[in-house]
């Protein structure tokens, strides 16, 4: 059977994953942070309480970034295969956050084990936008497990797959969309209309990666003492009741794989959401939080293994075009 050989893009995607695995996020001048600062300044000038203004805001930022990324990729390609490998690896590394996600999850588990709720509440905003102040140890544990599940898809599986399919423009464009969703894509009074385009676009680009994440969670569930059948059952039964078309898929799958129950009242700074229950087990414990980190890392590795042949197949198809 014909199997496409890994080319420069596939090699770059794998290298970017391995660099993230080894060193985590860039410690200084993170490109995502720089993009966020630019987006914030543009918002100050162009904010209007309406969908049209939000569409313009998102369109200008994403269009400019993807255009610049495409120019960068072409320029790197002129240097030969090594240039494409380097550019793809750098962009993939910049877009990934899997190693940091797992490390923060383990730090949270250690803080909760030590009973240091104050430090745990300070740490939680680095994972999600929830209000940590009213959360006790159980609430912090649940919030962290849910955030690890959702961010496994958003910060690892999706960037790897978009890098495989779209190269440098694909992965950087994805990360920009996801960043804008985190900044303005929520239902606060300021962003209900202005952030509509960012939220809907993020739903679109994460649709397939979220389902790939759930499938990988089912495959990897036995590694953390779970079962593929329970994972798929929770996904099919509970995901559709979640307000997010993508987060519900991944959170339900993780709940099934871990044998725990997620969901319930979820407090944000701007509102309290009553989320449906996901999974049929007990509330997650600190031990389950550590299992969630192991499951996340296994899913990330599976996504990298999936991304390499995907990138090779895409490149092979492009070479065959007349």
């Amino acid at each position: 059977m014909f199997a496409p050989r890994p080319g420069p893009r596939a090699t770059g995607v794998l290298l970017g994953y391995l660099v993230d695995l080894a060193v985590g996020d860039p410690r200084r001048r993170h490109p995502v942070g720089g993009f966020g600062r630019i987006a914030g300044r543009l918002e100050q000038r162009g904010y209007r309480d309406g969908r049209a203004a939000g569409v313009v805001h998102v369109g200008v930022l994403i269009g400019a970034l993807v255009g610049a990324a495409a120019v960068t990729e072409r320029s790197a390609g002129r240097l030969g295969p090594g240039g494409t490998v380097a550019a793809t690896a750098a962009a993939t590394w910049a877009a990934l956050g899997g190693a940091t996600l797992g490390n923060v999850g383990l730090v949270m588990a250690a803080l909760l084990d030590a009973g240091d709720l104050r430090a745990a509440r300070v740490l939680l905003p680095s994972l999600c936008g929830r209000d940590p102040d009213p959360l006790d140890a159980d609430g912090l544990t649940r919030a962290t497990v849910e955030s690890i599940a959702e961010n496994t898809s958003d910060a690892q599986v999706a960037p790897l797959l978009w890098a495989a399919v779209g190269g440098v423009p694909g992965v950087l464009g994805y990360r920009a969309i996801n960043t804008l969703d985190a900044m303005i894509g929520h239902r606060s009074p300021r962003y209900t209309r202005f952030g509509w385009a960012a939220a809907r676009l993020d739903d679109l680009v994460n649709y397939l990666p979220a389902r790939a994440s759930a499938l990988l969670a089912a495959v990897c569930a036995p590694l953390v003492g779970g079962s593929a059948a329970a994972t798929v059952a929770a996904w099919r039964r509970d995901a559709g009741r979640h307000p997010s078309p993508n987060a519900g898929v991944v959170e339900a799958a993780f709940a099934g794989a871990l044998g725990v129950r997620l969901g319930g009242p979820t407090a944000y700074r701007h509102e309290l959401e009553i989320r449906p229950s996901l999974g049929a087990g007990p509330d997650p414990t600190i031990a389950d939080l550590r299992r969630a980190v192991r499951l996340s890392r296994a899913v990330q590795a599976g996504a990298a293994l999936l991304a390499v042949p995907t990138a090779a197949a895409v490149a092979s198809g492009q070479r065959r075009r007349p």
Side-chain angles (χ1 to χ4, degrees), residues 9 65 67 103 119 152 196 225 274 284 320:
R9 179 183 294 180
L65 179 66
N103 292 339
T152 296
W196 173 84
I274 306 301
R320 291 181 178 184

Side-chain angles (χ1 to χ4, degrees), residues 212-241:
S213 299
L215 285 172
L216 288 168
V219 171
C220 297
L223 300 177
V224 294
S227 76
T231 305
V232 173
W235 171 11
R236 295 183 62 184
R237 183 186 63 240
D238 300 332
R241 298 188 289 126

Side-chain angles (χ1 to χ4, degrees), residues 168-183:
V168 175
V171 69
L172 294 184
Y174 167 78
R175 176 48 66 199
I177 291 168
N178 191 244
T179 301
L180 288 174
D181 178 61
M183 294 177 68

Side-chain angles (χ1 to χ4, degrees), residues 33-287:
F35 175 81
R37 287 189 291 273
I38 293 171
R41 294 190 189 104
L42 186 63
E43 180 188 335
Q44 290 176 355
R45 297 185 178 186
Y47 175 82
R48 302 290 185 276
D49 187 14
R51 288 185 177 183
V55 169
V56 171
H57 180 73
V58 171
V60 167
L61 285 165
I62 301 303
L65 179 66
V66 170
V71 170
T72 299
E73 185 176 61
R74 286 195 296 270
S75 299
R78 295 190 187 102
L79 301 176
T84 299
V85 169
T88 305
T92 302
W93 175 41
L96 291 174
T100 298
L101 175 66
N103 292 339
V104 172
L106 293 180
V107 171
M108 178 67 81
L111 292 173
L112 293 172
D113 255 341
D116 193 346
L117 297 187
R118 181 177 180 180
R121 292 186 182 110
V122 171
L123 181 62
L124 186 65
S126 67
L127 287 170
C128 60
R130 302 184 190 186
D131 182 2
D133 294 339
L135 297 180
D136 59 9
D138 290 341
L140 289 164
T141 301
R142 175 173 75 85
T144 305
V145 172
E146 291 173 355
S147 298
I148 286 173
E150 182 176 1
N151 285 307
T152 296
S153 178
D154 288 0
Q156 191 74 16
V157 177
L160 284 169
L161 295 183
W162 276 106
V165 172
V168 175
V171 69
L172 294 184
Y174 167 78
R175 176 48 66 199
I177 291 168
N178 191 244
T179 301
L180 288 174
D181 178 61
M183 294 177 68
I184 65 173
H186 41 84
R187 298 175 182 174
S188 67
R190 177 177 174 87
Y191 294 124
T192 298
R193 287 175 288 275
F194 183 76
W196 173 84
R200 297 291 77 77
L201 191 56
D202 185 74
D203 288 343
L204 179 63
V205 298
N206 275 300
Y207 186 86
L208 291 179
R211 284 143 186 86
S213 299
L215 285 172
L216 288 168
V219 171
C220 297
L223 300 177
V224 294
S227 76
T231 305
V232 173
W235 171 11
R236 295 183 62 184
R237 183 186 63 240
D238 300 332
R241 298 188 289 126
H242 194 282
S244 167
N246 298 322
V249 169
V250 188
E251 289 180 24
F254 265 62
L258 297 170
V260 301
R261 182 176 64 248
L262 302 176
T266 303
Y268 294 92
R269 294 291 185 185
H270 56 278
E271 66 176 343
L272 174 66
E273 292 186 7
I274 306 301
R275 300 264 180 96
S277 293
L278 307 173
D283 292 337
T285 64
I286 299 172

